[in-house]
Amino acid sequence: LCIPIVLLGWRFQPAQGAYSPIAARPLVALDALAWYVGKILFPFKLAIDYGRNPGWLLHSAQRFWTWIIPVALAVVCIATYRKFRWLAIGSLLFALAVLPVPCRVRFDFQIFSTVTDPYVYVAMLGVSIIFAGALAQLNSESWLRVAGVIVIVLAILSFRQVRTWSDNETLFNHAVAVNPDSVAANNSLGEIWSSKAEQYRHAAQRAMADRNEDIYNRSLA
């Protein structure tokens, strides 16, 4: 099911302007994994464009240390595989679902950001496995209650986040609030506001033709 979708993506989004040198892709992929780990642990200020494109990373000092986080987690998974198999399986599932985007496939949105929330929708199944495995390992009613509270809090945060997708203007306003330098969001807002300005201009012209001073003044404003 995935292969034809990838082929269609390559055809319709050739990513001619995306800068993603092959030698740098492992570093980009490790940085993306580290970023996602941070957002999973602290799911705040979520957006569609974080500005972490390959060109930015290769000129940022963060490239020297972000790779340590996923590598360290991989070492922990290997070292504890026999005792905590769920940790390795969940982490591997998450990585396999995410890595094709920053590591293997060039795509148009990579011009703006290699990481974005929608890329981890499927990968979050791996996080669910880790969460469930940890609860099973603890085997405690007290921890189940704590987990219940965590799920409720995350559900509330999810509900609030979904509201930012109500329409394009709300979505891109939120993206700019999280990342003021977002090229994608600022450009999209510019197009939206330009379209609105054009609509008001036509309304003003109609008001002038109809000699409707009230509509003319509001449209002009």
Side-chain angles (χ1 to χ4, degrees):
L1 291 175
C2 183
I3 290 174
I5 294 174
V6 170
L7 294 177
L8 286 172
W10 275 340
R11 177 180 177 184
F12 291 105
Q13 294 188 3
Q16 295 176 351
Y19 174 73
S20 182
I22 295 178
R25 290 183 191 178
L27 183 63
V28 172
L30 291 173
D31 175 78
L33 287 176
W35 174 261
Y36 288 134
V37 169
K39 286 299 180 183
I40 289 170
L41 295 177
F42 304 99
F44 302 100
K45 292 188 175 181
L46 304 178
I48 59 170
D49 177 15
Y50 297 105
R52 297 180 77 88
N53 56 58
W56 172 88
L57 178 64
L58 295 179
H59 291 86
S60 170
Q62 294 189 31
R63 71 186 187 277
F64 295 116
W65 62 266
T66 53
W67 61 269
I68 298 174
I69 297 173
V71 170
L73 288 175
V75 171
V76 171
C77 288
I78 294 172
T80 62
Y81 178 74
R82 291 186 178 181
K83 188 174 182 180
F84 305 125
R85 187 171 297 182
W86 44 268
L87 178 60
I89 293 174
S91 300
L92 182 62
L93 178 58
F94 182 90
L96 289 177
V98 168
L99 284 181
V101 179
C103 192
R104 296 290 299 171
V105 183
R106 294 174 72 246
F107 52 96
D108 281 346
F109 197 73
Q110 202 171 42
I111 298 172
F112 307 113
S113 182
T114 304
V115 293
T116 183
D117 295 349
Y119 293 158
V120 294
Y121 288 164
V122 175
M124 288 301 292
L125 178 59
V127 179
S128 300
I129 290 175
I130 295 173
F131 191 68
L135 287 176
Q137 186 73 26
L138 293 170
N139 193 24
S140 167
E141 289 187 5
S142 298
W143 278 109
L144 283 175
R145 294 190 185 97
V146 172
V149 173
I150 292 174
V151 169
I152 292 173
V153 171
L154 292 178
I156 294 173
L157 292 176
S158 296
F159 179 78
R160 291 181 57 190
Q161 186 67 18
V162 166
R163 294 172 63 183
T164 65
W165 292 78
S166 57
D167 57 72
N168 286 344
E169 188 170 0
T170 302
L171 176 65
F172 295 123
N173 271 321
H174 173 74
V176 170
V178 174
N179 176 20
D181 296 327
S182 170
V183 177
N186 280 296
N187 182 71
S188 298
L189 281 177
E191 292 179 352
I192 292 171
W193 294 340
S194 177
S195 175
K196 284 187 175 183
E198 189 69 14
Q199 293 173 11
Y200 283 119
R201 188 177 69 84
H202 288 310
Q205 290 176 340
R206 289 195 301 270
M208 290 177 66
D210 297 338
R211 298 296 190 272
N212 191 325
E213 185 175 353
D214 179 55
I215 295 179
Y216 172 76
N217 289 331
R218 284 192 286 115
S219 299
L220 190 63

